[in-house]
Amino acid sequence: MARPKSYDRTDATTRACMAFWEHGYTALGVRALEVQTGLNKFAIRNEFGGKEGLYLAALNHYHTAAKDTVLGPLKTGGLPAIAQFFQGLVTAGSINSSAWGCLMVNTGIENAEINSPALRQASDAYWTDLTDHFKMALTHAQTASQIGGSHDADQTAQGLVSAVMGIHTANRVSKSHDAGRHLVDLILDMLKNWGAPDDS
């Protein structure tokens, strides 16, 4: 008869997400993960396939949480939804604002040294998803005549994603949830100009 688990997988994954988000992947040894997640090394191996497997579960948790919250309004919103998303990146108490930056940005930077295909695939999937959501918002903005039809939604969405990465990096480097505000203000001004009437 199998021994009952002494942990809840969802709770352990959430704790792992927070631990990796704050400290990074390589800085956390198995003992530190045991303390921060409530898992022992056998559970980390048997339940998640090891440290990388636990990290991948944490990344999936992070991605899913984003889709369930901050990405949703971009599906049907236009410029106001994009503006709200960017404001949230530097607003205290916002789910997508943190002095730790962004787990996916941090993963991409750290994986330049680790070079794990699995980690790259997980982070790439997140950025592709964010790009697609920005495209939806931009397309809606064009349909609602909030911006002109001449805007290239694909390239603009990719540019907005790069801005998101920069804002999160500024927050992480400065260890402040709003260090990237200067870039957010720049994006918000740009969005206002897009939505301004064309006097030509």
Side-chain angles (χ1 to χ4, degrees):
M1 181 176 179
R3 179 184 299 178
K5 295 179 181 179
S6 60
Y7 58 88
D8 177 80
R9 180 185 172 95
T10 300
D11 179 66
T13 301
T14 301
R15 290 173 179 268
C17 181
M18 300 301 288
F20 285 125
W21 191 0
E22 180 179 6
H23 301 289
Y25 179 71
T26 56
L28 284 176
V30 173
R31 179 55 188 155
L33 282 171
E34 287 180 320
V35 171
Q36 298 207 32
T37 65
L39 299 167
N40 60 41
K41 62 181 179 181
F42 302 104
I44 292 174
R45 183 180 68 241
N46 295 334
E47 182 75 28
F48 296 96
K51 180 181 175 181
E52 185 179 83
L54 179 59
Y55 194 36
L56 289 170
L59 292 173
N60 181 66
H61 172 80
Y62 187 94
H63 190 165
T64 299
K67 287 195 291 187
D68 290 344
T69 55
V70 296
L71 297 190
L74 294 171
K75 290 182 179 180
T76 56
L79 294 188
I82 297 174
Q84 182 181 30
F85 180 91
F86 275 93
Q87 287 171 332
L89 298 176
V90 291
T91 299
S94 171
I95 190 173
N96 59 335
S97 178
S98 172
W100 303 338
C102 168
L103 180 59
M104 294 298 179
V105 172
N106 301 345
T107 298
I109 294 172
E110 196 167 11
N111 198 44
E113 294 294 332
I114 299 170
N115 199 27
S116 163
L119 298 184
R120 183 180 303 108
Q121 182 178 12
S123 59
D124 285 351
Y126 177 83
W127 297 119
T128 297
D129 204 9
L130 180 57
T131 302
D132 289 342
H133 278 75
F134 276 142
K135 286 180 190 176
M136 285 187 275
L138 290 164
T139 300
H140 184 80
Q142 290 173 324
T143 301
S145 299
Q146 295 172 354
I147 56 175
S150 61
H151 275 81
D152 187 317
D154 289 343
Q155 290 196 6
T156 302
Q158 292 172 23
L160 292 174
V161 167
S162 294
V164 171
M165 292 178 176
I167 293 161
H168 280 306
T169 300
N171 289 352
R172 176 80 181 189
V173 169
S174 298
K175 298 180 181 179
S176 171
H177 77 276
D178 61 354
R181 182 173 296 280
H182 61 290
L183 184 49
V184 169
D185 289 343
L186 184 65
I187 295 295
L188 294 180
D189 283 343
M190 180 183 71
L191 295 177
K192 288 179 182 177
N193 289 333
W194 285 354
D198 188 352
D199 296 329
S200 59

